[in-house]
Amino acid sequence: MSHAVPALAVAVLCAAGCVWYVPAIADVRAGADRPASRRTAATACLTGWGTAALVIPLLLASAPGALIAAVAGAGAAATAALLLHGRAQHGAEQREAARRWAALGCVQWAPAGRRRPGRAGVAWALAAATVVPGAAAAVLLAGR
């Protein structure tokens, strides 16, 4: 199979992903106008899509499959680490906001039925952030 076909598939996927990475660019460029957790999540988004874009020239250059898998794996790991860090930051920001409202004597309203995701939710997010890119790399490499 030609290496151009998987490269074209990844390029089309990256072009379609603009609905995620264009707003992420705006969030990162906004700087202190956005909460730190949102900027970290945007950086994670850009890292993931940047990794996918980096795979395109590797496929076109007929790089070894191990190199492509290593790049995809490193990008997935970095994306997952940034996502988890952003989630931790968001929780800290929420707790700080609750403390500030409590200091003012206000009670924060919380919609019924909403709860914070526990460790299981974080584990599922981490698994999705690492397994999905790994599976995509395996599918790309299986066609070689």
Side-chain angles (χ1 to χ4, degrees), residues 35-132:
S37 63
R38 188 164 170 177
R39 291 191 315 266
T40 303
T43 303
C45 176
L46 294 173
T47 302
W49 285 107
T51 301
L54 183 61
V55 168
I56 297 169
L58 293 175
L59 287 169
L60 289 174
S62 299
L67 175 63
I68 295 172
V71 168
T79 301
L82 285 166
L83 282 172
L84 290 175
H85 180 64
R87 181 67 186 137
Q89 281 180 318
H90 181 71
E93 290 167 356
Q94 294 289 60
R95 288 188 297 278
E96 177 63 25
R99 278 192 294 273
R100 289 181 180 183
W101 281 108
L104 292 173
C106 299
V107 177
Q108 269 191 317
W109 174 79
R114 292 206 46 195
R115 65 177 189 89
R116 277 185 49 208
R119 294 189 189 273
V122 172
W124 278 108
L126 177 61
T130 55
V131 170
V132 172

Side-chain angles (χ1 to χ4, degrees), residues 7-40:
L8 179 62
V10 175
V12 168
L13 180 69
C14 286
C18 70
V19 297
W20 289 288
Y21 62 76
V22 170
I25 291 169
D27 284 344
V28 170
R29 288 186 55 123
D33 288 344
R34 302 285 195 279
S37 63
R38 188 164 170 177
R39 291 191 315 266
T40 303

